[in-house]
Amino acid sequence: MCAANNAVGEHAKSVGITLETTDYNYRDLPATTLTVVAIDPCANKLTYVAVADSPIWVLTNEGGRMLTQMQCSNKDVEKARRQDLAKKNGQPFDNNGWRMYYRANYRNKPGAEETVNGVGTPMAYGALTGEEEVMSFLQLGKEELPDPCWVLVASDGCAVLEPDELAEIVTANPRTALQNIFMKAAEVTKQGRCHDDMSAVLIPFNTYLN
């Protein structure tokens, strides 16, 4: 994770973008998510580390479960963010002024919060930009895997689907699962849920086959 973050930072410097020169808009620091998983088939163990919104799910015939938390999965926090930005800027989130404020004040700012209705509300989030502060936002864990199961790592565009929806799609036909997930997520997005880019890796875990 440190190496990846340093690589992002070096790339930013190579194109002349630093914390001193960024405009948090068209010349923003390069930023990315990162999720790493390692599976020990002998111990049925999954070890993972993640930052930002590229979640991990464990999927079985009985349903699905997300292991990592989306940084905006807390609806109260997300609502507070949007209320706060609307109050300060009077503009929709798609407007660049909102984005600039959001990135400058909350990204890789551990402990950053805003007072909403008299209550301090966490607003900070992490992304790999080369800033050391991102390490405060790492999600690490170990999980015992059911046998058999599928481990899905995907970008947040796939998170519009509920874990059980993902499990149903994967167990119905693992060979075409990713295509079907993307199609279903695109369909759901058209119905008004939030959307983002869609990419994914599906890892089957079955010690009998291994």
Side-chain angles (χ1 to χ4, degrees), residues 53 69-78 81 102 125:
D53 290 337
Q69 292 185 345
M70 295 283 288
Q71 295 186 136
C72 296
S73 62
N74 185 319
K75 293 181 180 179
D76 291 335
V77 171
E78 182 62 13
R81 285 176 175 171
Y102 196 91
Y125 69 99

Side-chain angles (χ1 to χ4, degrees), residues 174-188:
R175 291 182 179 275
T176 61
L178 293 184
Q179 178 182 352
N180 293 336
I181 287 171
F182 298 154
M183 292 174 60
K184 179 65 175 178
E187 177 186 330
V188 167

